[in-house]
Amino acid sequence: MSEHKKLTELEATAICGNDISSSCLYVSALAIAYAGQYAWVALLIVAAVLFLFRKIYGEVVGALPLNGGAYNVLLNTTSKRNAALAACLTILSYMATAVISASEAMHYLHTLWHGLPIIGATLGLLGLFLALTILGISESAKVAVAIFIVHLVSLTLLVGAVVWFLFTHDLSTLSLNFSAPVRGGSITTALFFGFSAAMLGISGFESSANFVEEQADGVFAKTLRNMWIVVSFFNPVIAFLAIAALPLATVGENTETLLSYLGNTTGGTWLGTLISIDAVAVLSGAVLTSFVGVSGLMKRMTLDRILPQFFLKENGRGSNYVILITFFLLCMSVLFITNGELGPLSGVYTISFLLVMAFFALGNFLLKSKRPNLPRPVYAGILTVTVALISIMVALYGNITLHPDYLIVFLQYFLPSMAVVSIMLNRASILDLILAAAKSFGDKSPGVSRFSRLQVKRAMRELHQQEFVFFTKGDNVANLNMVMAYVESIRIGNEGPPNSQLYHVMRAQAQ
């Protein structure tokens, strides 16, 4: 079997960069809504937090270069159940990202084509990127690169146009905005809520860790650097320029399409139209990122037997088409259930994304304490990880304070997903219960009971027939004896608890 082509720095950066840089289209207006004239400061604080996460992600993925992100690090430092929790949060985040981005892209397109049916067009866009990812990640990456380059050029033109506009006009708007009353009554309150809202501007930073195995050597760290540079420059700069060129009241009236309105005001209709077209393209790129990221994550979960093994089926191009089709169907169901309303989706998105980031920071702590001997190219200090984790928790608290109803909506999606994963993790125990029930039913209907027992036993055999590899020192016969005893106990149906002595020995030997 030929080796799949690895993603280059530009391709990998484009795939995850489209997701995180699409935030430039809405995060400035969002930050201004809560922080007013100090929104650019809030966005600079977000950039500082993201810089801390560059080291956190670099250490974790450098030590454990496998797909899965937060799921991967928790799987290697704690129990599979805890890892599955992070995985569910990541899948929910991807699902919400895909639907929100596709819907927002079609809303921008609707400003140019007023007869466009939003729901139908959103579904069509999701279907388009399903087809592209089934064709293969390399083909998808080429599309992502084109979108990413156009987006950077468009944002650069917008910044240049606004700067020129300010040079050729007086700065009375900037002076008026900074003399306006501070949102929330104090700068501290304004920055707190502005920072909390603006943290969505770095959503997508976690994406690169979920397809790291598809990237060429040394590419992952460069994707983190490139994403940080893009959002650290454009987000605060665009927010400041918007405050300098537009009255705050006007910003509030054009929240959903602030950048295209800013382009119309400072550069003319051509620039506003270009920004709208760019918005459609880059938000579509964020949809692509969701498909690529979730494919890598769910494949890893399937290899770890958290999801059914049929998800591993591949086509001739090496794409896990069952995973991609399943994700598309989930997105489609969410789209129809919510009727494309962004409020419920944003609730799932906000909390899921911030919790995933928090789990990554916690995973970094666990990696330091439980796997200290693993080589890693980058090391994040204890203070760095602590400050990053506190920042995420502050943002999470701020968002729940702003929108307490989001937590309820999040739980409505999260609890069913965890229920499905819990069934998969406990399917051996469930089969045991079914077998016991079949035996007790045997007195009333022996034929049915016997057939049921045979079916359950066959399922249990298939469940325990997966091969695995155990690495240990060649002269450590005691460990090998423990492994054989453990495998035998599984074969006869007496599997020990997850935190057995063997588990700790295996983890210690892996170091």
Side-chain angles (χ1 to χ4, degrees), residues 298-501:
M298 292 181 67
K299 180 179 179 180
R300 177 69 196 282
M301 293 173 68
T302 306
L303 290 171
D304 293 327
R305 306 179 74 185
I306 294 179
L307 295 177
Q309 295 299 296
F310 62 79
F311 278 125
L312 293 177
K313 292 183 178 179
E314 294 183 350
N315 60 13
R317 294 177 177 266
S319 298
N320 298 106
Y321 62 91
V322 177
I323 291 176
L324 295 169
I325 292 173
T326 301
F327 182 68
F328 169 76
L329 294 175
L330 288 172
C331 291
M332 185 172 67
S333 66
V334 171
L335 177 65
F336 286 124
I337 289 172
T338 62
N339 198 30
E341 295 180 6
L342 299 181
L345 287 169
S346 63
V348 178
Y349 184 46
T350 304
I351 299 176
S352 298
F353 160 69
L354 291 176
L355 285 175
V356 168
M357 296 287 280
F359 273 121
F360 224 106
L362 289 172
N364 187 283
F365 278 127
L366 292 171
L367 187 69
K368 293 179 190 300
S369 62
K370 297 188 176 183
R371 309 292 295 273
N373 297 327
L374 282 178
R376 56 206 73 189
V378 180
Y379 184 85
I382 298 296
L383 181 61
T384 296
V385 185
T386 302
V387 172
L389 179 59
I390 292 174
S391 300
I392 291 295
M393 300 311 296
V394 167
L396 183 62
Y397 174 76
N399 276 284
I400 294 176
T401 302
L402 288 171
H403 304 286
D405 53 314
Y406 281 7
L407 183 60
I408 303 300
V409 178
F410 164 77
L411 292 175
Q412 290 174 344
Y413 285 90
F414 175 69
L415 293 179
S417 64
M418 275 306 298
V420 172
V421 171
S422 296
I423 290 173
M424 290 299 300
L425 289 173
N426 295 285
R427 57 194 183 276
S429 299
I430 293 173
L431 289 173
D432 286 335
L433 289 175
I434 295 174
L435 184 60
K439 290 179 180 178
S440 64
F441 188 69
D443 297 336
K444 299 180 180 179
S445 182
V448 175
S449 175
R450 182 175 179 276
F451 176 78
S452 300
R453 290 200 301 271
L454 289 175
Q455 292 296 106
V456 173
K457 288 180 178 179
R458 184 179 296 111
M460 294 178 72
R461 282 197 302 271
E462 293 176 355
L463 182 63
H464 294 308
Q465 281 178 349
Q466 184 177 16
E467 296 178 353
F468 71 95
V469 178
F470 173 69
F471 294 94
T472 186
K473 295 179 180 179
D475 58 348
N476 201 329
V477 179
N479 281 352
L480 294 177
N481 287 335
M482 291 179 64
V483 172
M484 296 304 297
Y486 183 73
V487 171
E488 180 64 15
S489 69
I490 293 177
R491 188 186 69 79
I492 62 176
N494 295 322
E495 181 177 355
N499 294 322
S500 63
Q501 184 181 1

Side-chain angles (χ1 to χ4, degrees), residues 33 115 125 128 159 180 199 203 214 249 257 263 265 275 282 284 291 317-318 351 388 402 410 413 423 463 509:
L125 185 63
L128 171 64
V159 169
M199 280 299 290
S203 59
E214 282 73 40
T257 56
T265 302
I275 295 300
V282 75
S284 299
F291 275 94
R317 294 177 177 266
I351 299 176
L402 288 171
F410 164 77
Y413 285 90
I423 290 173
L463 182 63
Q509 290 299 318

